[in-house]
């Protein structure tokens, strides 16, 4: 079966970039991305490609090449489902905030809504592709909904998890380490797998396209994220030990990373990992393990989250202790709010939790982030429900450049590893601050010796 029309439900951080790259690489496939959020679709259709709602290096260029040719953004979900032979589901699956599995299980209500909508609209056979990260065996639920509420047409469900990281989405999509496609072992299942393999084969070499059964594919995504997050919690655990000894965590990471069995990536100690996936996926894994009665397995993985929460809290505690055990009415400048550089995404960013702790101590926070808006920062704090919107707004000041954010501050805290922070005139920042002037480098990106020579008291992570 040759695919000529694709629909993707969900124009978010995953659906948007993934579909843009498929459209760019497969000019003979019409790709329509739909979303319930009208503003989001309007933003994707903004005549100026610089204004698309997601910031990713290289993305606006791809959108401007493909949009209107074979890439479309629309709110007409039914029409796009009806026309497509293949439908990707790329809606968000947040951690449940209510009921059974609250705080752990994935909330699948949006996935179910999508499945029901597809079942209602579809008049021809369709291949449905899970792009969202889902608990193992979700495909089964989707299948049951489709088969029992549909119009008698045939559905094939594939799992095709996304491994792109934000900030490098475009290069990850263009040059993936691997593409994973899980499907049924029946001959119809195999045909559906082949149809999706053929789409990716337009730009990915065949030896990088793995096919498995559905459950292996679903579980591989959770496992990959759990392993990556575990490396960060492992090195962060060592960072605390380094601070108590004379060891330096960057040196330790370098020494172990040169062991080819360990490898050098994902060994950067930090104020803690964030992002929409790591915590959610591990909690999901923990929940699944518990639901099968596998308590040791659940506890083992939960420790990765416990360590990460500890690392964030430890960072804010260190700031308070170092500033003579009081930060009340002191101004603390934050450089960065995003969960990592090169993205405007702030979901689960360590900055939110550190700010919340410091505001509890009545510190005034003044933030500069090159890509995150004030509204986003305030709503991130509101979401924690520690204080109301008015209080959060009064404690959090936002500036459009770092020099103004740091002026009259007692301390600077680096929360995101944006490259531009390393290029600043730090002497000028020092001169504008209260003395003694402290730098808490939550990302170990600044040159400690240079800052100390200027007069700063510098504290990185793990040294
Ligand atoms: C993705 C994945 O899909 C998720 O499983 C993964 O684990 C995290 O990343 P992401 O693209 O980052 O989600 O989420 P988001 O940026 O919130 O985009 C989801 C979009 O789906 C939103 O624009 C939302 O409006 C839309 N949506 C949600 C629908 O169109 N219909 C719905 O029923 C629900
Ligand atoms: C992650 C996975 O990498 C990706 O494959 C998956 O599809 C989605 O989840 P993402 O969350 O976008 O991607 O970013 P990632 O680069 O993995 O970073 C996650 C967090 O870990 C960030 O807060 C980052 O700053 C932090 N991190 C990363 C560290 O603290 N140290 C490191 O060495 C690496």
């Amino acid at each position: 079966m040759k695919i000529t029309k694709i629909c993707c439900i969900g124009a978010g951080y995953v659906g948007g970039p993934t579909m843009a790259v498929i459209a760019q690489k497969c000019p003979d496939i019409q790709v329509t991305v739909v979303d319930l959020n009208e503003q989001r679709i309007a933003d994707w259709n903004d005549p100026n490609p610089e204004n698309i709602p997601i910031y990713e290096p290289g993305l606006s260029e791809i959108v401007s090449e493909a949009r209107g040719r074979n890439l479309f953004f629309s709110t007409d979900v039914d029409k796009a489902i009806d026309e497509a032979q293949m439908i990707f589901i790329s809606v968000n699956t947040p951690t449940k905030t209510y009921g059974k599995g609250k705080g752990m299980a994935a909330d699948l209500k949006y996935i179910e809504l999508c499945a029901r909508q597809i079942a209602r609209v579809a008049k021809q056979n369709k291949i449905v592709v899970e792009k969202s990260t889902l608990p193992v065996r979700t495909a089964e639920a989707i299948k049951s909904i489709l088969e029992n509420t549909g119009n008698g047409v045939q559905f094939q469900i594939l799992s095709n998890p996304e491994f792109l990281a934000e900030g490098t989405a475009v290069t990850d999509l263009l040059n993936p380490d691997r593409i994973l496609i899980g499907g049924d072992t029946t001959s119809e299942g195999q045909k559906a797998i082949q149809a999706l393999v053929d789409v990716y084969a337009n730009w990915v070499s065949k030896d990088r396209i793995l096919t498995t059964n559905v459950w292996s594919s679903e579980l591989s995504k959770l496992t990959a994220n759990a392993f990556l997050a575990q490396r960060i919690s492992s090195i962060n655990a060592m960072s605390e030990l380094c601070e108590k000894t004379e060891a330096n965590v960057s040196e330790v990471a370098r020494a172990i990373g040169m062991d080819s069995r360990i490898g050098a990536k994902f060994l950067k100690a930090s104020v803690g990992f964030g992002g929409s996936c790591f915590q959610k996926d591990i909690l999901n894994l923990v929940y699944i393990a518990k639901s099968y009665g596998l308590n040791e397995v659940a506890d083992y993985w939960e420790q990765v989250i416990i360590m990460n929460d500890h690392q964030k809290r430890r960072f804010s505690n260190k700031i308070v202790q170092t500033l003579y055990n009081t930060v009340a009415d002191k101004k603390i400048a934050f450089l960065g709010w995003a969960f990592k550089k090169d993205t405007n995404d702030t979901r689960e960013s360590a900055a939110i939790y550190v700010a919340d702790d410091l505001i509890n101590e009545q510190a005034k926070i003044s933030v500069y982030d090159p890509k995150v808006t004030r509204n986003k920062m305030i709503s991130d704090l509101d979401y924690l429900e520690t204080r109301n919107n008015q209080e959060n707004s009064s404690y959090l000041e936002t500036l459009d450049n770092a020099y103004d954010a740091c002026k009259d501050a007692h301390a600077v805290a680096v929360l995101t590893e944006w490259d531009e922070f390393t290029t600043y005139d730090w002497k000028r920042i020092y001169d504008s601050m209260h003395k003694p002037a402290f730098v808490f480098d939550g990302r170990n990106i600044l040159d400690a010796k240079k800052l100390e020579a200027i007069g700063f008291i510098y504290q990185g992570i793990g040294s």
Side-chain angles (χ1 to χ4, degrees):
M1 176 189 201
K2 173 133 179 49
I3 302 297
T4 54
K5 285 188 179 164
I6 286 177
C7 155
C8 172
I9 310 179
Y13 282 90
V14 170
T18 308
M19 292 303 127
V21 167
I22 290 182
Q24 188 204 29
K25 292 294 179 185
C26 312
D28 48 349
I29 300 180
Q30 180 183 314
V31 181
T32 306
V33 191
V34 294
D35 203 296
L36 292 177
N37 182 334
E38 288 178 14
Q39 185 58 49
R40 210 162 211 193
I41 291 298
D43 291 343
W44 279 108
N45 282 323
D46 194 294
N48 179 354
E50 296 296 324
N51 294 340
I52 56 176
I54 283 165
Y55 173 72
E56 279 290 342
L59 181 60
S60 61
E61 290 84 346
I62 292 181
V63 169
S64 66
E65 178 189 331
R67 199 177 53 187
R69 179 187 73 191
N70 64 325
L71 175 65
F72 302 92
F73 294 92
S74 161
T75 50
D76 194 343
V77 185
D78 283 4
K79 177 162 178 276
I81 291 174
D82 179 38
E83 290 180 349
Q85 300 117 337
M86 183 177 269
I87 300 159
F88 286 78
I89 302 185
S90 191
V91 298
N92 43 335
T93 52
T95 304
K96 271 185 90 173
T97 54
Y98 55 89
K100 188 159 178 278
K102 178 179 174 187
M104 285 212 160
D107 193 337
L108 297 179
K109 70 178 174 203
Y110 302 127
I111 299 282
E112 176 162 346
L113 282 173
C114 288
R116 287 184 186 278
Q117 190 164 12
I118 295 169
R120 179 172 54 73
V121 172
K123 292 190 239 29
Q124 282 118 32
N125 297 352
K126 310 266 179 208
I127 300 172
V128 175
V129 185
E130 301 176 345
K131 200 61 172 158
S132 305
T133 314
L134 296 167
V136 189
R137 306 202 81 95
T138 304
E140 206 164 41
I142 297 181
K143 201 179 173 72
S144 162
I145 293 169
L146 289 173
E147 282 173 359
N148 291 304
T149 62
N151 305 312
V153 301
Q154 296 292 311
F155 294 101
Q156 280 300 322
I157 322 287
L158 301 178
S159 159
N160 172 219
E162 188 49 69
F163 295 106
L164 68 82
E166 289 174 29
T168 53
V170 171
T171 48
D172 293 345
L173 285 162
L174 292 175
N175 285 308
D177 284 344
R178 77 315 205 175
I179 297 287
L180 181 58
I181 302 172
D184 268 0
T185 46
T186 58
S187 78
E188 286 74 32
Q190 296 300 306
K191 275 186 211 143
I193 290 179
Q194 192 55 44
L196 186 52
V197 168
D198 291 343
V199 172
Y200 285 109
N202 280 300
W203 78 96
V204 181
S205 73
K206 287 245 164 81
D207 57 326
R208 286 181 185 262
I209 306 180
L210 301 182
T211 60
T212 64
N213 74 34
V214 180
W215 327 125
S216 299
S217 170
E218 287 180 340
L219 186 58
S220 298
K221 169 69 188 201
L222 295 183
T223 309
N225 277 346
F227 270 59
L228 290 169
Q230 182 201 41
R231 282 174 72 96
I232 304 170
S233 277
S234 298
I235 200 73
N236 281 344
M238 292 306 158
S239 77
E240 188 169 18
L241 194 53
C242 287
E243 287 169 27
K244 296 287 178 208
T245 60
E246 299 278 284
N248 177 318
V249 78
S250 305
E251 291 176 355
V252 173
R254 184 149 177 261
I256 66 166
M258 283 172 79
D259 184 328
S260 60
R261 294 168 303 176
I262 296 175
K265 291 180 181 163
F266 268 71
L267 285 179
K268 266 189 228 103
S270 69
V271 52
F273 61 74
S276 69
C277 285
F278 283 176
Q279 171 160 313
K280 170 172 74 75
D281 290 353
I282 293 175
L283 288 173
N284 221 318
L285 200 59
V286 169
Y287 184 72
I288 294 168
K290 276 197 182 144
S291 69
Y292 287 109
L294 309 178
N295 293 327
E296 290 78 6
V297 177
D299 291 348
Y300 178 77
W301 286 108
E302 190 169 19
Q303 202 59 36
V304 174
I305 302 287
I306 293 172
M307 187 62 224
N308 196 50
D309 287 340
H310 172 66
Q311 188 76 349
K312 292 182 268 187
R313 173 101 346 118
R314 208 164 73 71
F315 187 77
S316 45
N317 284 346
K318 187 179 357 181
I319 295 177
V320 176
Q321 277 163 16
T322 310
L323 296 184
Y324 315 105
N325 287 313
T326 173
V327 289
D329 295 327
K330 288 180 183 167
K331 173 166 159 178
I332 302 188
F334 272 31
L335 295 186
W337 189 269
F339 82 98
K340 62 189 271 196
K341 72 172 177 179
D342 293 338
T343 179
N344 59 350
D345 193 352
T346 63
R347 287 176 285 181
E348 292 301 328
S349 180
I352 305 166
Y353 296 91
V354 175
D356 188 55
D357 284 349
L358 294 174
I359 295 174
N360 279 342
E361 296 291 330
Q362 300 188 354
K364 301 245 181 256
I365 311 291
S366 71
V367 193
Y368 164 68
D369 185 289
K371 291 287 174 196
V372 181
T373 61
R374 175 178 176 81
N375 281 346
K376 190 94 155 272
M377 297 177 197
I378 303 284
S379 72
D380 287 338
L381 285 172
D382 290 351
Y383 188 75
L384 297 182
E385 295 184 346
T386 317
R387 292 160 226 96
N388 65 31
N389 175 273
Q390 221 178 352
E391 288 172 304
N392 284 328
S393 306
S394 73
Y395 279 107
L396 194 88
E397 191 189 7
T398 44
L399 284 307
D400 65 5
N401 72 83
Y403 296 101
D404 289 338
C406 296
K407 190 169 176 292
D408 296 323
H410 287 81
V412 178
V414 178
L415 276 305
T416 313
E417 72 281 25
W418 287 101
D419 290 336
E420 64 174 75
F421 299 162
T422 62
T423 66
Y424 290 163
D425 178 352
W426 280 92
K427 174 79 170 71
R428 179 176 155 201
I429 292 176
Y430 178 81
D431 289 340
S432 74
M433 288 174 61
H434 275 278
K435 307 297 173 323
F438 295 89
V439 170
F440 298 94
D441 187 352
R443 296 291 185 163
N444 289 346
I445 54 168
L446 300 176
D447 183 335
K449 290 218 175 68
K450 207 174 105 190
L451 293 186
E452 280 164 359
I454 292 171
F456 280 107
I457 300 175
Y458 174 91
Q459 292 196 12
I461 302 277
S463 59

